[in-house]
Amino acid sequence: DQHEAYLENIVKAAECGCPEAVEKLADLSFRKGLVSYAIPLYKFTALIGHGSECMKQLETIHEEGFLSSDDLKECREDYELAKKEMFSKEREAMAKVGGYTARDGSIIQCDQFM
């Protein structure tokens, strides 16, 4: 069945860390009423600063009583911090010299002259 294959592929991509897949899986879960499954996925997308819809969804979940005010505040702070880091002057300067950040947080210099 195409729907099952599609869902299976989204789950695999989300497990590999694809933020778009995580967000899609959270949206599908929320629309199907699986709020307890959607919350950690939305929290993850907020933690990495992905998209803008995750905070709107978390606010909706909070308004419906499934998420505490403290959790929402923590998610908002994480989201803002991630966004600030993604668009920081330090990151921009690093990109200009060919550097980037590895998954473990270490800074890697790309030597284009080798």
Side-chain angles (χ1 to χ4, degrees):
D1 181 50
Q2 285 184 332
H3 296 293
E4 288 178 17
Y6 175 72
L7 184 58
E8 187 176 311
N9 287 332
I10 290 176
V11 170
K12 285 180 184 177
E15 289 171 350
C16 290
C18 174
E20 290 84 5
V22 174
E23 187 174 38
K24 185 69 168 176
L25 194 56
D27 290 340
L28 289 170
S29 301
F30 185 69
R31 282 192 272 148
K32 287 291 184 180
L34 302 170
V35 178
S36 62
Y37 189 73
I39 290 172
L41 296 171
Y42 282 128
K43 283 183 172 184
F44 175 76
T45 57
L47 180 66
I48 62 172
H50 180 74
S52 59
E53 294 298 313
C54 66
M55 286 311 304
K56 292 178 186 174
Q57 295 291 42
L58 286 168
E59 288 168 6
T60 300
I61 291 169
H62 168 69
E63 290 168 4
E64 293 177 1
F66 294 106
L67 188 66
S68 72
S69 295
D70 289 341
D71 282 344
L72 180 63
K73 180 182 175 188
E74 182 180 336
C75 289
R76 188 174 290 120
E77 289 170 358
D78 290 342
Y79 180 78
E80 293 301 323
L81 181 64
K83 282 294 190 184
K84 181 179 177 184
E85 201 282 324
M86 288 297 292
F87 299 105
S88 69
K89 290 180 182 178
E90 291 85 5
R91 182 177 288 263
E92 184 180 334
M94 193 168 58
K96 285 181 182 177
V97 295
Y100 62 94
T101 307
R103 284 182 177 248
D104 65 356
S106 61
I107 297 173
I108 298 174
Q109 173 69 35
C110 177
D111 191 354
Q112 298 177 356
F113 299 106
M114 292 188 82

